Amino acid sequence: MPPKITTELLRQLRQAMKNSKYITEPIQAYIVPSGDAHQSEYIAPCDCRREFISGFTGSAGTAIITEKHAAIWTDGRYFLQAAQQMDKNWTLMKMGLKETPSQEDWLLSVLPEGSKVGVDPWIIPADQWKHMSKALTSAGHSLVPVQENLIDPFWTDRSARPSSPLIVLGLNYTGMTWQDKITSLRTKMADRKITWFVITALDEIAWLFNLRGADIEYNPVFFAYAIIGRSSIRLFINGDCMADPAVKEHLQLNSSSKPEFKVQVLPYESILTELQGVCGGLGPKEKVWISDKASFALTEAIPKIHRSLTPSTPICLAKAVKNATEIEGMRRAHIKDAVALCELFAWLDKEVPKGTVTEISSADKAEELRRQQKDFVDLSFPTISAVGPNGAIIHYSPLPETNRTLSLNELYLIDSGAQFKDGTTDVTRTVHFGTPTAYEKECFTYVLKGHIAVSAAVFPNGTKGHLLDSFARSALWESGLDYLHGTGHGVGCFLNVHEGPCGISYKTFADEPLEAGMIVSDEPGFYEDGSFGIRIENVVLVVPAKPKYNYRNRGSLTFEPLTLVPIQVKMMNTDMLTQKERDWVDEYHKQCREVVGAELERQGRHAALQWLIRETQPIA
């Protein structure tokens, strides 16, 4: 696909950077982050400003435009994709590589003396503002808030902000009423002597109120803010979403609920004036809690003396540790997901030799099979369905112009997932329908060894996920190989497929310690540019472990796989596996056969059951 031509768009943006209609005085650079006003990873079409100005569609990246330059910073998942999607006006800055300058250093090298750098204060998180502002100020420049987003005036076909109807989640899915969640939150506020708590992250609001929406594709969230007081609740949301009587009843809007649970519904746009009003009435020692990743605009509305910033909000932490009902729901969701994937692979085994299956038709088939399962709502992200060299593009999505046919001589990688009402799934398998080369098998086995090393790891309570990242890389590193993405991310429960504050990645040391009930992915990989990609991904649950000893009584943890889809034995060089690793594969496959087999039997899906039995035979 040819890159988007951006010459005219950049000309219009550079004009806007000097136009007194939008700014008080000219700016010499403009920053376009990839998020929205809630700092979401996946965003609604109306918020895709960075994609509009650059043509790059990845979920992570920041564009900076000066009078003469335009550059984009993105991570290793997107190097190939960004290079293909951007025209010659843009410079790709590959984050994480030694020779790549940081955004601040690059700006200092290209800006004329005493420059002003503008950014939309609603879209930049407060922690990033602070970091950038400090670097610019120390070199004689300044970071300035530009209240009207400079992309919007010439983005003529920008769509309206979505406002979809809300879904009420019952106790059978959530395991806890929203009133109990508010009570627990207020206890944490009282412990920290906090008077008000401002919630800006969309998944936190959805989780707190046991509601889901469809405002952002693949993410069952809705546009809203909330301010929780010691005895008041304000929810900022567009009225159209609330039309369903079931939603009003769920929030007890028309009944005489206890005053401390009375929800005051206010317009979405009124968050800033309401927050300013709250702050205007604060006593000298009163504090307002807000995430340090909330927008600079809202953070700045809270006077510094009253501001209490937190890297992980109490809701973020509570949401990450799943309760028994949520864990049970996640188990059910992963069994249904495995049923659909066993059907898919059985179908592919039959159809691929005919030469009629493409990346797109395989992805469509996976969705069709998932849709047949109970409580299916949507996919959890766009399916990565990649043959041969396309597999080396880590976050590849097939398009008509890149769509390859599955064959007997190339690797096929499929990374896909679903949103069921009872849970969220995310699974990757890499398979070969013919005979893999010795090198492909070797690389696959290094990745498998890494996957097992994380999955079978036993570690002390209080361990942060980033410490486990090298377990996944060790076998690859020994052979001089590696991969340019993290090893795992937190997974929501019928919420965002990527959630904090836990994960397994060398990129962050700010993650929260892993604890029982957290759910993360385990997904090492290896990518040979121009040839193939390999990734093996399960979603795993953190559970208590009982090793032989218990040093200083601190207790131990390990992982239990929730994903139950066979890993192709044909791709393994079994001579490279230790006895312990072979036992792990056999035990895992036995679990797949017993648990998923019973469900395939129950649903009468016999071809998939036969496939499952074949693929889960013990390693010879």
Side-chain angles (χ1 to χ4, degrees):
M1 186 186 184
K4 178 173 181 171
I5 305 301
T6 60
T7 310
E8 177 55 21
L9 295 176
L10 288 168
R11 189 191 64 77
Q12 289 178 289
L13 176 58
R14 286 172 176 135
Q15 269 186 327
M17 285 160 61
K18 295 183 277 217
N19 190 335
S20 57
K21 191 170 154 192
Y22 309 118
I23 41 174
T24 43
E25 46 187 320
I27 54 174
Q28 285 67 50
Y30 189 60
I31 302 173
V32 187
S34 68
D36 58 12
H38 303 270
Q39 285 62 55
S40 313
E41 179 189 9
Y42 292 100
I43 56 180
C46 60
D47 290 315
C48 295
R49 297 180 176 97
R50 190 222 60 222
E51 178 185 327
F52 171 75
I53 194 70
S54 69
F56 167 53
T57 62
S59 67
T62 300
I64 304 183
I65 297 92
T66 67
E67 264 308 309
K68 295 193 172 70
H69 308 275
I72 277 208
W73 281 257
T74 191
D75 63 60
R77 293 172 298 170
Y78 293 117
F79 291 170
L80 286 176
Q81 183 179 328
Q84 289 170 3
Q85 291 182 328
M86 297 191 307
D87 70 6
K88 62 182 188 322
N89 290 305
W90 291 87
T91 304
L92 173 59
M93 299 292 188
K94 299 179 175 182
M95 288 163 69
L97 301 192
K98 252 200 333 269
E99 63 274 16
T100 304
S102 68
Q103 295 168 27
E104 295 81 3
D105 288 347
W106 181 79
L107 277 168
L108 300 187
S109 73
V110 300
L111 287 174
E113 242 170 73
S115 288
K116 288 185 165 40
V117 177
V119 66
D120 181 337
W122 287 92
I123 294 179
I124 188 168
D127 58 348
Q128 281 180 26
W129 172 284
K130 189 178 169 186
H131 184 74
M132 176 70 80
S133 182
K134 194 175 164 190
L136 290 172
T137 307
S138 66
H141 308 294
S142 56
L143 186 61
V144 296
V146 179
Q147 293 304 334
E148 184 173 351
N149 194 292
L150 295 186
I151 304 278
D152 297 353
F154 59 91
W155 186 1
T156 47
D157 57 353
R158 181 172 171 241
S159 55
R161 184 161 302 286
S163 180
S164 57
L166 300 182
I167 304 169
V168 172
L169 273 195
L171 257 185
N172 54 327
Y173 292 115
T174 65
M176 193 176 183
T177 66
W178 65 263
Q179 291 92 337
D180 285 345
K181 290 179 179 181
I182 296 265
T183 303
S184 160
L185 173 62
R186 284 180 173 148
T187 304
K188 288 173 184 141
M189 288 166 65
D191 291 348
R192 295 279 300 270
K193 301 188 170 40
I194 300 286
T195 317
W196 299 95
F197 177 36
V198 183
I199 314 170
T200 63
L202 301 183
D203 61 334
E204 293 186 16
I205 294 167
W207 180 86
L208 182 65
F209 289 102
N210 291 340
L211 291 167
R212 300 292 187 268
D215 285 355
I216 295 180
E217 203 178 5
Y218 312 114
N219 299 263
V221 296
F222 49 92
F223 284 105
Y225 293 98
I227 300 179
I228 311 295
R230 296 265 179 94
S231 59
S232 68
I233 302 168
R234 301 178 205 197
L235 179 61
F236 301 83
I237 189 168
N238 272 334
D240 317 353
C241 312
M242 310 282 287
D244 184 350
V247 174
K248 291 178 175 157
E249 190 183 328
H250 172 73
L251 293 175
Q252 301 182 327
L253 296 185
N254 302 330
S255 57
S256 51
S257 54
K258 290 184 185 166
E260 66 269 29
F261 296 123
K262 180 117 193 83
V263 180
Q264 189 185 356
V265 178
L266 296 154
Y268 175 73
E269 289 76 19
S270 65
I271 175 69
L272 186 59
T273 43
E274 284 287 327
L275 180 57
Q276 287 164 336
V278 161
C279 293
L282 290 171
K285 290 200 167 161
E286 291 190 305
K287 292 279 185 193
V288 180
W289 223 352
I290 191 168
S291 163
D292 66 0
K293 289 161 200 64
S295 70
F296 176 72
L298 284 182
T299 308
E300 204 55 13
I302 306 164
K304 221 170 184 169
I305 188 168
H306 298 297
R307 199 187 297 160
S308 181
L309 295 174
T310 174
S312 297
T313 72
I315 299 180
C316 184
L317 284 164
K319 174 168 61 62
V321 182
K322 289 12 178 205
N323 63 41
T325 306
E326 291 171 320
I327 290 169
E328 210 29 65
M330 286 292 266
R331 284 190 209 285
R332 281 197 308 272
H334 282 83
I335 294 168
K336 291 183 286 197
D337 211 52
V339 164
L341 286 175
C342 287
E343 282 218 284
L344 174 74
F345 287 122
W347 179 81
L348 287 173
D349 269 0
K350 207 166 79 249
E351 299 298 322
V352 168
K354 299 176 188 171
T356 55
V357 183
T358 66
E359 292 169 336
I360 291 176
S361 67
S362 179
D364 290 346
K365 185 71 176 177
E367 180 174 352
E368 175 199 317
L369 294 167
R370 281 186 165 106
R371 279 186 184 281
Q372 294 169 14
Q373 295 299 315
K374 184 179 177 231
D375 278 346
F376 175 90
V377 178
D378 195 1
L379 299 182
S380 54
F381 56 94
T383 299
I384 298 167
S385 171
V387 172
N390 289 343
I393 302 169
I394 297 169
H395 268 209
Y396 171 80
S397 246
L399 296 164
E401 52 274 24
T402 61
N403 192 21
R404 287 173 77 92
T405 302
L406 279 67
S407 75
L408 299 179
N409 27 8
E410 286 185 304
L411 280 181
Y412 176 57
L413 181 155
I414 179 164
D415 182 349
S416 60
Q419 296 286 7
F420 297 99
K421 266 192 173 175
D422 41 12
T424 301
T425 68
D426 179 3
V427 47
T428 310
R429 290 294 180 264
T430 308
V431 294
H432 204 296
F433 299 102
T435 307
T437 67
Y439 179 59
E440 286 168 341
K441 286 174 71 164
E442 181 188 358
C443 295
F444 183 93
T445 310
Y446 292 140
V447 173
L448 174 65
K449 285 166 89 73
H451 178 91
I452 295 170
V454 170
S455 198
V458 175
F459 47 93
N461 259 317
T463 301
K464 290 187 168 194
H466 70 257
L467 289 176
L468 303 179
D469 184 78
S470 53
F471 286 35
R473 297 175 197 272
S474 177
L476 285 159
W477 281 351
E478 252 175 61
S479 299
L481 304 175
D482 200 0
Y483 53 96
L484 294 177
H485 57 74
T487 299
H489 53 82
V491 181
C493 187
F494 185 31
L495 262 178
N496 297 356
V497 73
H498 294 164
E499 74 167 20
C502 54
I504 303 173
S505 178
Y506 64 96
K507 292 178 179 183
T508 174
F509 301 119
D511 49 329
E512 288 292 326
L514 294 168
E515 54 180 291
M518 285 181 168
I519 292 178
V520 295
S521 68
D522 169 11
E523 49 178 313
F526 174 68
Y527 309 90
E528 181 90 4
D529 285 359
S531 298
F532 62 81
I534 294 165
R535 188 160 60 253
I536 303 169
E537 174 185 23
N538 281 352
V539 169
V540 295
L541 169 70
V542 183
V543 292
K546 294 260 182 289
K548 188 174 174 185
Y549 301 112
N550 186 9
Y551 181 69
R552 296 205 166 178
N553 233 8
R554 63 186 176 184
S556 293
L557 299 168
T558 186
F559 295 112
E560 176 198 315
L562 294 177
T563 305
L564 294 173
V565 178
I567 299 166
Q568 195 178 45
V569 176
K570 184 209 288 190
M571 280 299 301
M572 301 173 196
N573 178 341
T574 52
D575 295 341
M576 290 166 58
L577 297 176
T578 63
Q579 192 53 51
K580 212 170 163 185
E581 289 164 340
R582 287 161 174 250
D583 292 346
W584 184 94
V585 172
D586 285 345
E587 184 49 45
Y588 177 69
H589 280 161
K590 179 168 171 263
Q591 207 187 342
C592 294
R593 191 165 59 247
E594 288 171 0
V595 176
V596 182
E599 185 61 19
L600 284 165
E601 187 82 67
R602 196 186 68 76
Q603 294 190 22
R605 299 177 188 266
H606 299 298
L609 179 58
Q610 290 314 307
W611 177 88
L612 174 68
I613 291 165
R614 271 199 318 277
E615 292 292 318
T616 53
Q617 293 305 309
I619 293 175

